[in-house]
Amino acid sequence: MFKLISRSSIRNSTSLRSIHTLPKLINHDVWVEKGIPGLFSPQGYNTAWTDYQTYLLTNLTLLTNGTGNEAKHPYQTMLNVAKQTTQQHTYHYAAMSHMNHFFFEQIANKDHAQSTKPSRSLMEKLMHQDILDVDALRDKILTMAESASGQGWVYMVEDKTKSLQFLTCNNDGTPYYFAKRQQLDFNSGIDELSYKSLENLEKRCQDPEFKKAEEEHMLPILAINFWDHMYIEDYGVTGKAEYLNNVWEHLNWDVINKRLFQM
């Protein structure tokens, strides 16, 4: 969300400058007072959304002030600076504010969330991943999130063939651009699967056709945020699994279904 403010220049001419402000979630006024029952207490919601999102957007405003990205939405800024190695701080705040908003848009009160379900089209696509029902989908996504040793995201994404895939992206990794997925975490030990992925990446880098990887754009359909600030307030340092289970119970599939490509 942007707010336009006027500023006077040295020549006394007036121009408009945009600042990033907290987007208004549909149930925000209620959640501020009561939290999201079964998921966040009022303080937990305030930490995960209001305070953290404001922090991200404030820093994004400061970093883009007076630049060509000043009037862009976080999503646009994220894509614009993703390939610029000198703009990684800007990328971080743009990517995190965009994805945190993306995450909260798909959250609903439990009674409403439980009245929604994945669409037939979505489940048909998942059959190609050997996921035959919602329980299998839940196990797939939550297992990926629980087994991640650091913090970051699990995404269900749609690739350029309109097929669905699953990605674990560390830290501020996003699926939009190949080089920013951060699927390998070098801060911890590398398992066999990660090592093979690294070997495959090395081979691709030696391929003259590797630049085609930049065309491997993917669009997120579902995002699970497992950064520790999301759950430590209400669940403690060991409460990640309980938090993830509760997130699943609060997913609004009406929102998620609409993100899927429709003919």
Side-chain angles (χ1 to χ4, degrees):
M1 182 180 293
F2 287 109
K3 181 178 181 181
L4 295 177
I5 59 174
S6 63
R7 62 183 177 88
S8 297
S9 68
I10 297 177
R11 298 179 180 178
N12 295 321
S13 62
T14 300
S15 60
L16 292 178
R17 169 160 290 176
S18 61
I19 62 173
H20 296 278
T21 59
L22 188 71
K24 187 66 176 292
L25 300 175
I26 294 176
N27 296 311
H28 177 71
D29 291 340
V30 175
W31 289 348
V32 165
E33 297 296 327
K34 300 181 179 180
I36 306 178
L39 179 58
F40 291 124
S41 67
Q43 185 56 45
Y45 172 74
N46 188 58
T47 298
W49 172 249
T50 310
D51 284 353
Y52 189 62
Q53 190 73 4
T54 299
Y55 162 77
L56 293 171
L57 293 173
T58 298
N59 279 279
L60 183 60
T61 297
L62 293 173
L63 287 168
T64 57
N65 181 24
T67 73
N69 294 309
E70 182 177 21
K72 291 182 171 63
H73 290 282
Y75 170 75
Q76 297 169 313
T77 300
M78 171 186 66
L79 296 182
N80 196 40
V81 304
K83 299 179 184 180
Q84 301 176 28
T85 57
T86 59
Q87 295 291 322
Q88 294 314 295
H89 285 89
T90 302
Y91 168 82
H92 171 78
Y93 291 112
M96 288 298 293
S97 58
H98 168 69
M99 292 315 311
N100 199 41
H101 188 198
F102 187 95
F103 170 80
F104 271 97
E105 282 185 319
Q106 67 194 11
I107 297 298
N109 291 323
K110 187 173 182 179
D111 56 348
H112 178 70
Q114 295 297 296
S115 69
T116 69
K117 61 181 181 180
S119 67
R120 179 177 177 179
S121 177
L122 190 151
M123 294 308 301
E124 287 176 349
K125 287 178 178 286
L126 288 172
M127 291 177 64
H128 298 290
Q129 298 281 349
D130 293 325
I131 296 176
L132 305 181
D133 55 38
V134 178
D135 288 337
L137 175 61
R138 175 188 179 280
D139 291 344
K140 172 75 174 180
I141 292 176
L142 296 194
T143 297
M144 290 176 67
E146 288 179 30
S147 61
S149 58
Q151 49 193 7
W153 308 80
V154 168
Y155 297 109
M156 180 170 66
V157 302
E158 193 171 48
D159 63 24
K160 62 183 179 181
T161 70
K162 307 309 175 187
S163 299
L164 295 180
Q165 298 185 36
F166 298 90
L167 303 176
T168 299
C169 296
N170 297 289
N171 303 313
D172 55 11
T174 65
Y176 295 104
Y177 172 52
F178 176 79
K180 288 299 185 183
R181 291 180 195 160
Q182 300 191 42
Q183 291 181 259
L184 298 176
D185 182 5
F186 297 108
N187 294 312
S188 59
I190 299 178
D191 57 23
E192 183 178 358
L193 182 60
S194 296
Y195 183 76
K196 289 182 178 179
S197 297
L198 187 60
E199 279 190 321
N200 180 58
L201 183 59
E202 183 179 6
K203 291 178 181 178
R204 294 180 66 187
C205 287
Q206 296 170 356
D207 187 341
E209 298 294 314
F210 179 69
K211 286 188 177 180
K212 290 183 178 180
E214 294 187 358
E215 300 174 3
E216 294 181 2
H217 301 293
M218 294 182 176
L219 294 177
I221 304 301
L222 168 66
I224 300 296
N225 186 342
F226 60 85
W227 275 69
D228 51 13
H229 65 260
M230 297 296 291
Y231 58 84
I232 197 168
E233 183 77 40
D234 288 330
Y235 301 89
V237 295
T238 61
K240 180 181 178 182
E242 183 182 1
Y243 156 76
L244 292 171
N245 286 324
N246 288 341
V247 166
W248 187 264
E249 297 297 317
H250 288 77
L251 290 178
N252 184 350
W253 289 98
D254 286 344
V255 172
I256 298 166
N257 292 333
K258 290 178 181 178
R259 293 170 175 166
L260 195 67
F261 175 78
Q262 302 290 334
M263 290 295 292

